[in-house]
Amino acid sequence: GNSVTQMEGPVTLSEEAFLTINCTYTATGYPSLFWYVQYPGEGLQLLLKATKADDKGSNKGFEATYRKETTSFHLEKGSVQVSDSAVYFCALSVGNKLVFGAGTILRVKS
Amino acid sequence: GAVVSQHPSRVICKSGTSVKIECRSLDFQATTMFWYRQFPKQSLMLMATSNEGSKATYEQGVEKDKFLINHASLTLSTLTVTSAHPEDSSFYICSAMGLAGSISYNEQFFGPGTRLTVL
């Protein structure tokens, strides 16, 4: 079946630190991969996506590369800000259906 | 951008009563809507997919008689939790995809969620 595993949190970083949130997946076929972010009190927002192997998604300083050989889609940011504090979800899609990881809470301290 | 709202944001009800949650697309036509359930510290679980004017398609293990989904218009879907029990307490999230004029939204836009507590 299709599943997504992402690192447990919470992840606590100081401002300007480097961020990595690991995500691996299991899928039949060729899924698209996504990172969503959920700020407190708000709905999930699409942060970035990649639709095929070796694609790199990027947005707001965040990046993730679709690695088929390691079935991974790790999220990275070079310098986090307090405003990046949120819950981050890795997901894959097969057709229109999304399969989510458990989410990783990120806390950035000033 | 595409905006999805949910109402109410929080609801508390007594065991045995029914609760209706609304999901609205505010600036586009939602041809497809999705309902998810999220347990504390766990992932979002897809409950059902609905297309406007059609019956919802439920995921395996989701009781369709307990979780009634209606998608009667291109801007509104409702989820009714019938005869709610404490184990139905959860965070319910909807999402939608569709059209705004000639623009086709192929990604899901999410509502802010509804926290249901059944006493």
Side-chain angles (χ1 to χ4, degrees):
Chain A
N2 302 316
S3 66
V4 175
T5 303
Q6 61 182 103
M7 63 188 290
E8 283 192 37
V11 173
T12 303
L13 297 172
S14 297
E15 208 165 19
E16 298 184 2
F18 184 85
L19 168 72
T20 299
I21 300 177
N22 291 334
C23 171
T24 57
Y25 67 91
T26 302
T28 54
Y30 302 97
S32 294
L33 301 174
F34 305 81
W35 277 99
Y36 284 86
V37 58
Q38 185 176 31
Y39 298 104
E42 299 183 19
L44 274 72
Q45 301 173 26
L46 178 63
L47 181 59
L48 55 84
K49 67 179 182 182
T51 57
K52 62 183 187 295
D54 299 326
D55 269 2
K56 177 186 283 187
S58 61
N59 185 25
K60 299 181 182 179
F62 292 90
E63 292 182 344
T65 301
Y66 190 143
R67 301 286 188 200
K68 186 179 176 183
E69 63 276 13
T70 54
T71 61
S72 65
F73 193 55
H74 304 321
L75 182 68
E76 296 182 336
K77 186 175 185 182
S79 176
V80 293
Q81 305 300 312
V82 173
S83 57
D84 293 327
S85 298
V87 183
Y88 291 82
F89 292 91
C90 185
L92 65 83
S93 75
V94 178
N96 283 338
K97 293 186 180 180
L98 286 168
V99 176
F100 287 89
T104 302
I105 298 173
L106 171 64
R107 298 179 179 141
V108 181
K109 303 182 299 182
S110 59
Chain B
V3 180
V4 176
S5 69
Q6 277 184 246
H7 178 80
S9 58
R10 294 176 180 270
V11 57
I12 300 172
C13 69
K14 293 182 179 179
S15 186
T17 61
S18 294
V19 174
K20 181 183 285 188
I21 301 169
E22 293 184 348
C23 176
R24 293 183 184 273
S25 59
L26 299 186
D27 51 3
F28 68 104
Q29 295 179 324
T31 51
T32 306
M33 284 185 161
F34 305 84
W35 285 96
Y36 295 85
R37 183 172 179 177
Q38 185 180 24
F39 293 98
K41 298 183 180 180
Q42 292 190 30
S43 178
L44 282 74
M45 180 192 76
L46 179 65
M47 299 174 66
T49 303
S50 70
N51 294 302
E52 186 265 337
S54 302
K55 288 185 178 180
T57 302
Y58 289 81
E59 295 300 300
Q60 191 172 9
V62 178
E63 299 176 60
K64 62 181 180 181
D65 294 330
K66 180 162 191 64
F67 298 101
L68 301 179
I69 291 171
N70 183 287
H71 188 173
S73 80
L74 284 171
T75 58
L76 174 65
S77 176
T78 59
L79 168 67
T80 301
V81 183
T82 61
S83 186
H85 288 93
E87 58 266 29
D88 299 324
S89 298
S90 193
F91 196 55
Y92 293 88
I93 301 172
C94 73
S95 70
M97 21 187 328
L99 301 167
S102 61
I103 301 173
S104 176
Y105 290 122
N106 292 320
E107 66 174 89
Q108 293 183 32
F109 294 93
F110 287 82
T114 297
R115 173 76 59 194
L116 170 63
T117 303
V118 185
L119 302 177

